[in-house]
Amino acid sequence: MTRSRFGILGFGGYAPERVMTNDEWAEYVDTSDEWITARTGIKRRRVADDRETTVDLAAVAAEKALADAGVSAAELDEIVIATDTPEAYAPDTAAFLQHRLGAGEVTGYDLGGSGCAGFVLALDVGMSRVVQRSRRILVVGVELITRMMDWSDRATCVLFGDAAGAVVLGPAEAPVELLASTAGTDGSQADILARFAGGTRKPFSLEMAERREHLEIAFNGREVFRQAVKRMSEASRDVLEQAGKRIEDVALVIPHQANRRIIDSVRKSLRLGEEQIYVNIEDYGNTGSASVPLALFQAREEGRIEPGDLVLLTAFGAGFHWAAALLQF
Ligand code: ACO
């Protein structure tokens, strides 16, 4: 089989029911709807129920993607999950999801640590495995960030929300093709956006918890902003060049939803029209690895993607890591 006969077969997405508005955040920390809206574009986000865990979110998105693909869990050959808020430290979330879905005893693994770029990276890895082995692979991006963040740190807590998105990859007559992909890492600035607590550099301790450092996100918002615009724009140009396409050919760009102003800057940098870029940050906030697959699922559900469309995914996250992919519907 040629590469052109492999691709995305189905899409799924899920966000927990509970909606939390900016005004509600103002009851917990010294913030306001005005500040959050002006600086980020976020108006509300979804927050998982206390009984929900990462695998619950992942399972709903995965089941939707499997149904959309017409593939049963038993037919899966591999499960890849991008997350930085896993079900457990070990084993990985893929193990829990394999059991939950009733999949066979297949290869399953998590790609963690690449922050909000995780799903696009996992898509790239998954696609190469599909082509190599002619397999059906489930790729999920999921985060339950609200459980793992400091609800008293106004600089970070208002930014995030919980969600999951998934795709099924495999061989088919007319799949959504991956025309080009790219991914990169620059670890020289790892300290600018990171969670150190619990790692070997900073093992958990009682003192750490007393200082509320166990949930701390090290974070330089301005530098993250600058790098996110630069890297997402460059990665987008890279995949266009690889595929011999122009930005005018692209029907829709789906960027990681970190901040409305970052998205606007990427749009200007790529000289895109408003209608060429998908934005759902107002309703969901930053959902990490779930952001791109959730937006992809929603864009398709809303009829924003037609057969024949070129769709560009671009993401940036902790590491720094970045990744982009060009899809032909
Ligand atoms: N409500 C009210 N005031 C706040 C809040 C809040 N929630 N958070 C911070 N402030 C205050 C600060 O304390 C500071 O006050 P000071 O001037 O008295 O010290 C003031 O607002 C400005 O703070 P900055 O951090 O400089 O605000 P900035 O304009 O940089 O906006 C933001 C912060 C929105 C996080 C911005 O830097 C940003 O968008 N960064 C990139 C996105 C990002 O980092 N997302 C996180 C995940 S990473 C990713 O997804 C790639």
Side-chain angles (χ1 to χ4, degrees):
M1 276 193 189
T2 61
R3 184 181 170 100
S4 67
R5 294 185 64 194
F6 298 93
I8 301 178
L9 314 181
F11 302 81
Y14 171 71
E17 269 179 36
R18 184 181 163 207
V19 177
M20 184 166 178
T21 63
N22 291 345
D23 286 335
E24 281 179 73
W25 263 121
E27 293 168 20
Y28 289 86
V29 290
D30 181 14
T31 191
S32 64
D33 178 41
E34 292 72 28
W35 193 96
I36 302 169
T37 306
R39 302 287 177 125
T40 71
I42 301 165
K43 297 293 282 181
R44 56 195 75 82
R45 69 288 292 145
R46 301 296 183 90
V47 175
D49 187 274
D50 286 347
R51 288 160 301 183
E52 280 179 309
T53 59
T54 304
V55 74
D56 296 319
L57 276 57
V60 181
E63 276 162 2
K64 284 188 191 170
L66 286 165
D68 189 37
V71 170
S72 72
E75 291 173 298
L76 287 173
D77 299 296
E78 197 160 312
I79 297 171
V80 192
I81 300 190
T83 186
D84 282 328
T85 49
E87 186 78 5
Y89 199 75
D92 55 17
T93 309
F96 292 96
L97 188 63
Q98 177 275 339
H99 181 61
R100 172 69 66 85
L101 294 176
E105 293 176 353
V106 299
T107 310
Y109 52 100
D110 283 11
L111 289 181
S114 35
C116 313
F119 173 80
V120 184
L121 183 60
L123 178 67
D124 187 23
V125 171
M127 194 63 84
S128 62
R129 303 265 296 170
V130 168
V131 173
Q132 187 191 13
R133 300 189 177 195
S134 184
R135 291 178 141 202
R136 291 195 181 89
I137 300 186
L138 173 68
V139 182
V140 180
V142 58
E143 304 290 356
L144 204 165
I145 309 180
T146 62
R147 188 146 322 142
M148 306 302 289
M149 68 187 191
D150 183 352
W151 280 53
S152 67
D153 176 14
R154 68 175 182 173
T156 52
C157 66
V158 301
L159 303 174
F160 298 107
D162 303 327
V167 293
V168 177
L169 310 178
E173 287 298 311
V176 175
E177 278 181 65
L178 179 71
L179 297 187
S181 57
T182 189
T185 306
D186 173 10
S188 68
Q189 299 184 78
D191 293 6
I192 283 178
L193 178 56
R195 165 168 280 163
F196 288 108
T200 54
R201 190 185 281 200
K202 200 172 178 183
F204 284 122
S205 67
L206 186 57
E207 294 73 29
M208 180 193 287
E210 281 166 357
R211 291 194 300 267
R212 300 195 64 78
E213 286 173 12
H214 60 302
L215 295 172
E216 188 176 77
I217 299 172
F219 178 63
N220 174 339
R222 291 198 178 170
E223 187 53 20
V224 172
F225 192 114
R226 207 179 65 76
Q227 287 287 332
V229 174
K230 176 177 183 294
R231 300 300 192 176
M232 285 202 281
S233 302
E234 285 173 356
S236 301
R237 290 192 193 97
D238 183 356
V239 289
L240 287 169
E241 196 180 318
Q242 280 184 47
K245 303 285 184 189
R246 298 165 310 155
I247 195 70
E248 303 88 275
D249 302 328
V250 175
L252 196 64
V253 173
I254 299 183
H256 167 52
Q257 312 279 316
N259 181 306
R260 176 79 213 207
R261 293 185 301 147
I262 292 178
I263 296 171
D264 286 342
S265 299
V266 170
R267 183 174 62 74
K268 284 177 193 148
S269 161
L270 294 175
R271 298 177 198 281
L272 293 164
E274 294 266 3
E275 72 296 341
Q276 272 179 292
I277 198 146
Y278 189 83
V279 184
N280 68 3
I281 189 160
E282 186 174 327
D283 293 325
Y284 298 94
N286 182 349
T287 60
S289 308
S291 134
V292 168
L294 179 72
L296 181 60
F297 169 72
Q298 291 179 334
R300 194 162 157 275
E301 292 276 292
E302 291 162 14
R304 294 277 304 269
I305 303 173
E306 304 276 350
D309 279 353
L310 268 187
V311 174
L312 197 160
L313 315 180
T314 186
F316 173 84
F320 297 125
H321 291 284
W322 56 91
L326 190 63
L327 304 176
Q328 174 76 68
F329 275 71

